[in-house]
Amino acid sequence: MTRTRRRRRLGVVLAVVAATVLAGSGCSVIQVTGPYTVNDNQGGGDPLNKPFQRMIAIAPQPGWGPEDTIRGLQAAMAAYADDPSVLAGYLTPEARAKWTAAGPVTVIQDAYEVAVPPPRESETTVKVSLKGHYVALINEDDSYKPTAGPWERPFELVKMPEGYRVSNLPQGLLLTESDVARAYRPTNLYYVNRSTQDRLVVDRVRLRLKTTETFAQTVLERLLQPPTEALRGAVTSSFPAGTKIESIRSGEDRVIISLSGPLSSLDLTATTTLTGQIRNSLSTNEIAKGRTIEIVVDGETYTTDRPDSDDRWLDDDVGDSAYYVSKGAVHYLTKEGRGGAVAGAAGEQRDGYDHFAVSAGPNPLIAARTSTGISVAGIAPEGVWQEVIRGDDLTPPTWNRDGSLWTYDGKNGVLLKYDPSRNRVEPVEVPEELDKLDVNQFRIARDGVRVAVTTGEETVQIGALTGEGAGTKLGNLQFLTTTDTGNEIRDIAWRDDEHLLVLVEGTAGQTLNEINVGDGETTGVPLKDRLQSVAAFKDQVLAEVATDNGNKLMVLNQDQQTWTAKIDSDAGTPLFPLG
């Protein structure tokens, strides 16, 4: 078969239709002969929905060869969630009885190859191979995990009177990048910080759009379930077990969410938290944004949340004051640039103190690493340095939003937590594998839950502080990024609860990447100068640059592409509270 004939034939293996879910009325379908791109802004006026393209696959045809059959099978996998019956037609009865769609969804690049051996006369069984490149896995908890490298999967087909059928199909669905872009949406869900109960924590997932319900319903149904594995044990929810979503309706200026279950309007804290989870999970996904949300429980109004209501759950009340280090002394950074030294010992020039960190709150503390341990000083005239953790192989200090100070003792393989209110240091349980790794940096995000850990010179892992009180421990470690051999991760900094800046230095120069820790989405930040360190807080990114006249401080401009000098000389390590 020529390549031209194959391409023409495969044009009818599947059809793509545009489907906009209409609450209570199924979907509107426009059948086309090829891909049909729908602008995501064309929502049909319904604030609860996101338009999408629905894949419609067709059954295998008697005249198809092995390659056409495998490509048709893959199209049937893309359509499986909407219509599982088509895929079954590609399998032999034995394969159909064994196969299940359960398990992670494998995502590969669009351009894949079906390798078919030369045909042999009277041969009824054909072994083919589908080759491509990994993109990601979508796990059963809806987490999206990027991966890379070549990918290959063998298939066995049997020639039957009605055409080729697959006799051995590995478990799980196989989708292409385009399949995922068409049918899934990156979605932020919000749970509650288990330890402090004062902050919502974002959990990023990939949710499949459905023809049977609005996207708002899909989001809230998933919100009723446990978080992804990355946050298990670290967050909780205000929805009691047994809560059900009965309906979601939209009016001219409001969204009405009807729930049932053991919800009590007498618990004001739980009511406020539940509203915060709902509003932020809907609004940050551009659903019901700027609209009043009315929650009804068992037919009666439970609470009403207006868009101008005070929502403290995502406020960064840690403060956005910026600092920098000059000749061993910590200084304030002003809008104009250079500021004065902070009050107390932390503002005095001295040698032997480095890797400073600032706590949150109206009366912040400064921590610094020395040759013998970690010392702390208050920003006040009477503030003096006091060594609170001893050790000669400690990671740079990091503050948690609850006021505790943390560091990893590499010499003894133990994570240490210092509580200033009790002037006490306690060990914190860590995964066994961490004891075998060279931990260089340990940074707690401003949500008080997520933790970034650099191991060796080339790897960043993301974990979470699980449990609470004396039962707090570090868990859920997962790889975030690994550099090429010979490169070094020079610095990391939390920009916000979702994004980590990673500064990598190699023989070819430096790269600064902003990585979404929820799904690995990476954006490069252009560099002109060689950076020594970085610090960030939301839209503010500061960097230290070495010059012949001493270090200078640079600021990333709003275009996220260019840098401007903030202080031209004698300005070292930039600092923000926490992160």
Side-chain angles (χ1 to χ4, degrees), residues 38-315:
V38 178
N39 189 316
D40 249 8
N41 292 324
Q42 297 173 345
D46 188 342
L48 306 182
N49 283 306
K50 283 183 177 291
F52 65 101
Q53 300 173 38
R54 178 185 175 193
M55 175 76 77
I56 296 181
I58 61 174
Q61 304 299 301
W64 285 357
E67 179 176 351
D68 294 349
T69 302
I70 292 298
R71 292 186 180 274
L73 173 72
Q74 195 282 313
M77 287 191 176
Y80 183 83
D82 294 321
D83 183 3
S85 64
V86 178
L87 189 144
Y90 281 84
L91 308 179
T92 63
E94 294 77 13
R96 196 180 308 151
K98 295 179 181 179
W99 184 81
T100 173
V105 174
T106 300
V107 185
I108 62 173
Q109 293 180 0
D110 292 342
Y112 64 83
E113 172 191 357
V114 181
V116 182
R120 296 179 180 177
E121 289 187 13
S122 71
E123 185 178 51
T124 59
T125 301
V126 180
K127 294 184 178 181
V128 303
S129 180
L130 196 157
K131 300 178 180 180
H133 283 83
Y134 271 117
V135 172
L137 290 176
I138 302 177
N139 294 314
E140 290 182 282
D141 64 0
D142 300 310
S143 59
Y144 183 91
K145 301 300 178 186
T147 185
W151 175 91
E152 183 173 356
R153 177 175 290 179
F155 292 88
E156 185 175 277
L157 293 88
V158 177
K159 191 171 184 179
M160 306 176 72
E162 62 271 24
Y164 282 98
R165 296 294 183 268
V166 177
S167 60
N168 184 19
L169 181 62
Q171 306 300 321
L173 293 173
L174 171 66
L175 304 183
T176 66
E177 275 186 290
S178 292
D179 295 333
V180 173
R182 175 176 53 250
Y184 288 76
R185 293 294 179 269
T187 305
N188 285 348
L189 304 175
Y190 287 88
Y191 297 88
V192 186
N193 180 321
R194 178 181 290 276
S195 61
T196 60
Q197 299 282 309
D198 67 341
R199 175 79 178 183
L200 290 182
V201 180
V202 62
D203 194 15
R204 191 153 175 92
V205 296
R206 284 291 199 282
L207 295 184
R208 198 182 195 284
L209 300 166
K210 301 176 182 179
T211 60
T212 56
E213 63 187 30
T214 65
F215 190 58
Q217 176 110 15
T218 300
V219 170
L220 294 187
E221 291 284 3
R222 179 60 183 83
L223 187 62
L224 293 181
Q225 300 174 32
T228 63
E229 183 180 352
L231 292 178
R232 295 286 170 88
V235 296
T236 185
S237 177
S238 56
F239 292 91
T243 302
K244 294 183 179 180
I245 298 171
E246 300 297 337
S247 66
I248 303 178
R249 296 174 289 131
S250 63
E252 182 177 345
D253 62 350
R254 68 178 50 213
V255 174
I256 303 170
I257 301 171
S258 180
L259 306 176
S260 64
L263 290 159
S264 171
S265 59
L266 299 179
D267 188 341
L268 182 59
T269 300
T271 301
T272 304
T273 310
L274 181 144
T275 304
Q277 284 188 257
I278 289 177
R279 174 166 291 284
N280 286 289
S281 295
L282 293 180
S283 297
T284 57
N285 293 297
E286 301 299 321
I287 311 169
K289 190 173 184 178
R291 300 164 72 87
T292 294
I293 295 178
E294 180 180 344
I295 301 175
V296 176
V297 176
D298 296 328
E300 296 187 4
T301 299
Y302 177 75
T303 186
T304 300
D305 182 62
R306 305 186 187 283
D308 57 354
S309 300
D310 181 24
D311 184 2
R312 62 182 176 85
W313 292 104
L314 290 178
D315 289 344

Side-chain angles (χ1 to χ4, degrees), residues 6-26:
R6 177 177 293 118
R7 184 178 295 126
R8 184 168 57 246
R9 174 177 293 175
L10 293 179
V12 297
V13 169
L14 56 92
V16 178
V17 300
T20 300
V21 177
L22 302 176
S25 62

